[in-house]
């Protein structure tokens, strides 16, 4: 009986984590400072810029997100690595940004082939 409850609990947690993810678009950038959140202070390389959808007048600054590639948005087949990356929001994606989360090159490279340039993603607050 105890083993059944444990298995059931793991399944529920897994399903909740899938349902909690938000779909979006991921791209990458390579110039990290200055940033809208931290000016000229470097914040490492596992960082990202938030689109207007997430920006919320800068309230998203410093928030962490788990980001996973879910598929291609262009002809590059199978860009995803199957990994998830955790990034800190440090910047605001410029006007006309094509993505929901604009990842650093290093973060993007962890979850997808950079040749793809743009991918479908799922993201959750860390």
């Amino acid at each position: 009986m105890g083993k059944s409850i444990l298995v059931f609990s793991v399944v529920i947690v897994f399903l909740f984590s899938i349902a909690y993810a938000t779909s979006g678009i991921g791209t990458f950038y390579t110039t990290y400072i200055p940033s809208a959140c931290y000016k000229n202070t470097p914040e490492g390389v596992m960082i990202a810029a938030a689109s207007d959808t997430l920006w919320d007048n800068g309230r998203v600054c410093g928030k962490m997100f788990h980001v996973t590639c879910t598929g291609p948005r262009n002809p590059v087949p199978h860009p995803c690595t199957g990994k998830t990356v955790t990034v800190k929001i440090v910047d605001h994606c410029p006007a006309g940004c094509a993505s929901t989360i604009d990842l650093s090159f290093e973060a993007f490279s962890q979850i997808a082939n950079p040749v793809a340039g743009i991918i479908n993603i799922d993201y959750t607050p860390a």
Side-chain angles (χ1 to χ4, degrees):
M1 180 74 162
K3 189 175 181 180
S4 297
I5 291 172
L6 177 63
V7 170
F8 179 74
S9 298
V10 169
V11 169
I12 294 300
V13 168
F14 177 74
L15 291 175
F16 179 73
S17 66
I18 290 173
Y20 192 64
T22 304
S23 296
I25 300 169
T27 54
F28 70 86
Y29 68 112
T30 57
T31 303
Y32 308 146
I33 52 176
S35 70
C37 301
Y38 298 99
K39 308 295 181 226
N40 290 314
T41 304
E43 292 296 314
V45 295
M46 299 312 273
I47 56 174
S51 66
D52 288 340
T53 304
L54 294 174
W55 184 244
D56 194 20
N57 292 318
R59 288 182 190 90
V60 74
C61 286
K63 303 258 191 250
M64 306 288 283
F65 288 91
H66 299 299
V67 183
T68 305
C69 175
T70 59
R73 287 196 66 83
N74 61 27
V76 175
H78 313 294
C80 302
T81 65
K83 296 179 181 177
T84 296
V85 68
T86 302
V87 295
K88 178 180 182 179
I89 300 296
V90 301
D91 212 348
H92 185 203
C93 202
C97 181
S99 66
T100 310
I101 298 179
D102 196 17
L103 301 158
S104 66
F105 177 81
E106 292 82 356
F108 189 97
S109 297
Q110 290 289 313
I111 63 170
N113 180 346
V115 171
I118 187 168
I119 54 173
N120 291 315
I121 60 170
D122 278 347
Y123 61 95
T124 58

